[in-house]
Amino acid sequence: MSDAQKGPVFTEIVLEVFKLGGLLVSEGDRMGSEYGITSARWKILGALSLAGEPQTVPQIAGSMGLTRQAVQRLVDAMQKDNLLLFQDNPGHKRAKLISLSDLGKTVYSKLYDKQSGWAKTCSAGITQAELETTLSVLERISGAIDR
Amino acid sequence: MSDAQKGPVFTEIVLEVFKLGGLLVSEGDRMGSEYGITSARWKILGALSLAGEPQTVPQIAGSMGLTRQAVQRLVDAMQKDNLLLFQDNPGHKRAKLISLSDLGKTVYSKLYDKQSGWAKTCSAGITQAELETTLSVLERISGAIDR
DNA sequence: GGCGAATTGACAACATGTTGACAACCTCGG
DNA sequence: CCGAGGTTGTCAACATGTTGTCAATTCGCC
């Protein structure tokens, strides 16, 4: 199989990633609106929950592939809305440690449940193997761009 | 194989789509900067080229999964930069037909060549079958959300 | 200990996307 | 023919991301 045919498929994947990204943001906004949360804020909650321990802004940014400035703005706004807690960082005066507040934990937990049902609906008719191949391919493409 | 395991993989795909989307936008901006073009503008050029005939703003928006307002703003700016041509639409006084100018065609062609080499590098080590599975899965997920 | 380099927070300017609203235009059924 | 309802362009407000810059802080090496 010649590589020549991979170009067009690759281009279609790129366009589909753009399109799907937009749809996922809209869907996330819709699901989160009940709790006054947007897709971007949801991602922050997820990153903190996944990490399991308080994180600094640059750490969150790194794990999500965003700039620290973008994360900083979201985090500042979310603290004002009582979704996050800032703690002093022993050993670094400027870089505060950020963790989920009780409200943040509650909201994330409810969103997780809501998302689980939605994910099941969306992946109906797609096999586990297909999903795993897709994830692997997307990760390899990300990796090829990153370095 | 139980469906229960599909949820976590699905969630990872969602996060990877967000991350990859960001990387692709940056990469597109980088490649287009030589011609004074951004990822968003590139997508407009691509949509018009793919259509093969002049399109209205709502038509472009539909094919790209964006709102007509977002497309309108890009298209207006691109006409000012001589990348696009507006033609009167016989049969509709408001909805102008938009097509690539000579400059637009030239720029798109050069970007296409540039992107081809890049796509080959990115897809190194990924089989045609894997790429096709990925595209199919992404399209099915989009489809599941859309309706 | 101290100095140069890297990290971090803060602020600004900009690009790109959304939603909402309004008026002008088009279409189609009665 | 005409009026109701959908389509289109336009404008505004906002959310989210980027890059660039600056000062404060921290880190690593001598």
Side-chain angles (χ1 to χ4, degrees), chain A residues 13-29:
Chain A
I13 290 176
V14 169
L15 294 178
E16 196 59 36
V17 165
F18 285 145
K19 191 169 183 173
L20 183 52
L23 286 172
L24 289 172
V25 167
S26 297
E27 196 64 14
D29 287 349

Side-chain angles (χ1 to χ4, degrees), chain B residues 60-73:
Chain B
I60 298 172
S63 69
M64 298 201 311
L66 300 180
T67 61
R68 65 197 168 82
Q69 292 93 328
V71 172
Q72 187 85 52
R73 181 167 29 178

Side-chain angles (χ1 to χ4, degrees), chain B residues 38 40 43 66-70 73-74 92-94:
Chain B
T38 60
K43 282 192 281 182
L66 300 180
T67 61
R68 65 197 168 82
Q69 292 93 328
R73 181 167 29 178
L74 280 165
H92 201 301
K93 207 170 292 183
R94 303 201 93 206

Side-chain angles (χ1 to χ4, degrees), chain B residues 43-98:
Chain B
K43 282 192 281 182
I44 300 280
L45 295 181
L48 283 169
S49 179
L50 189 64
E53 53 184 10
Q55 302 274 296
T56 64
V57 165
Q59 281 174 327
I60 298 172
S63 69
M64 298 201 311
L66 300 180
T67 61
R68 65 197 168 82
Q69 292 93 328
V71 172
Q72 187 85 52
R73 181 167 29 178
L74 280 165
V75 154
D76 287 345
M78 290 171 76
Q79 189 221 14
K80 276 189 188 143
D81 289 349
N82 297 312
L83 290 163
L84 303 181
L85 295 175
F86 286 4
Q87 308 164 241
D88 282 341
N89 187 347
H92 201 301
K93 207 170 292 183
R94 303 201 93 206
K96 291 197 181 125
L97 286 172
I98 298 154

